[in-house]
Amino acid sequence: MSVQATAAKKAGNMEGKPGQKKKGASLARRLRQSWQLYVMLLIPIIITIIYKYIPMYGIQIAFRDYKASKGYLGSEWVGLKWFQRFFSSPNCIRMIRNTVLLSLYSLLWSFPIPVILSLAINQLRFHRYKRVVQTVLYAPHFISTMIICGMLRIFLSPSGGLINLLLGTQIDFLTQSTAFRTIYIASGIWQDAGWGMIIYLATLASVDTTLYEVAKVDGASMFQRIKNIDFPALVPMMVLNLIMSAGGLMNVGFEKVWLLQTDLNKATSDVISVYVYQQGIENAKYSYSTAIGLFNTVINIILLIIVNKIASKASDVTFV
């Protein structure tokens, strides 16, 4: 071995020692150095354990004939009895179908709207007008669901409602089962599209402005800049939002459905979340409602894993 090679080897060994020592630092030392950060991290961890993990102990009542007087362990173990009762109920297929269709249609119609709004608003060059438009679009997000449903009942009223005045009709839309999904989805887009737009605008704000300048010099039009600069920058965030939305596909918003539901529109508004509330809270069938909720959660987890696998193969973005 040459003298130069030997010297280089020794130099490499000398340089590696400090790095190895740093890498081998004990956990206790790192905790002492950054104990403030670990203490701050403990707060959300403890809250998550208390409110998310400890209550999972009660899932076992889905497999028991739960009696409050006997407690969890004192109640009789019945296995899959409540699941079998749910799947054999006459409204089971209708509730599952309504839940899936309402969530799927909401996802298909509401998912692209924030993307389109963010791409359009990002092209505005008058900052004051841009801020006004953003405020108008995401302001409905801060209106409570109760007030939204009250507004819908007023606008859709057959006597003096705004929609009927514009159409020159006297139709009670909330009693029409065919109109319920349209009302639910349209009101959801109006309420949440502007709020979802903020995430995409924040992503576009991180795009290097020199890319736009170079594109303009090369003669790229506005649509070409959107296609080749803005849209690719939004793809990772779009994939993450799609994965999270698919993971909650079976979780239809309970409050809005419950407040807009009538006996005449149950053919399309009878969903699992409302049925769980009715059975668990109104009828005190705790084991039965827990079994239905557990089934709903398992389906969401399966959908989350499937969509995540598909997204990881189609792109470089994964969520779990």
Side-chain angles (χ1 to χ4, degrees), residues 199-216:
I199 300 176
Y200 297 114
L201 283 175
T203 303
L204 291 174
S206 63
V207 177
D208 190 356
T209 55
T210 57
L211 295 176
Y212 298 108
E213 297 173 0
V214 173
K216 289 180 181 179

Side-chain angles (χ1 to χ4, degrees), residues 31-51:
L31 289 173
R32 286 195 301 269
Q33 290 176 346
S34 305
W35 66 270
Q36 299 93 338
L37 298 177
Y38 287 100
V39 170
M40 292 178 61
L41 185 62
L42 279 176
I43 298 174
I45 290 176
I46 293 173
I47 292 175
T48 302
I49 292 173
I50 293 175
Y51 291 102

Side-chain angles (χ1 to χ4, degrees), residues 94-103 105 173-185 252 257 260-272 274:
R94 187 181 73 175
M95 286 186 293
I96 295 176
R97 183 181 66 250
N98 289 340
T99 302
V100 172
L101 290 179
L102 197 59
S103 297
Y105 289 156
F173 291 98
L174 289 177
T175 61
Q176 305 290 325
S177 59
T178 54
F180 178 81
R181 289 173 184 155
T182 303
I183 296 171
Y184 181 91
I185 295 169
V252 177
V257 176
L260 295 178
Q261 188 180 75
T262 64
D263 293 334
L264 298 177
N265 64 18
K266 276 194 173 184
T268 54
S269 67
D270 197 10
V271 296
I272 293 177
V274 174

Side-chain angles (χ1 to χ4, degrees), residues 268-310:
T268 54
S269 67
D270 197 10
V271 296
I272 293 177
S273 58
V274 174
Y275 186 69
V276 169
Y277 171 80
Q278 292 172 342
Q279 297 299 317
I281 303 300
E282 295 181 356
N283 299 331
K285 297 180 180 179
Y286 304 117
S287 295
Y288 184 48
S289 61
T290 303
I292 302 172
L294 182 59
F295 160 75
N296 205 41
T297 302
V298 170
I299 297 298
N300 281 331
I301 294 174
I302 294 173
L303 290 173
L304 177 63
I305 295 173
I306 293 174
V307 174
N308 182 70
K309 291 295 183 182
I310 296 173

Side-chain angles (χ1 to χ4, degrees), residues 64-85:
R64 295 178 180 274
D65 186 10
Y66 177 70
K67 305 294 183 183
S69 58
K70 296 181 180 180
Y72 291 127
L73 300 180
S75 301
E76 180 185 359
W77 182 270
V78 294
L80 301 178
K81 172 184 175 182
W82 305 117
F83 295 93
Q84 294 172 352
R85 175 175 293 187

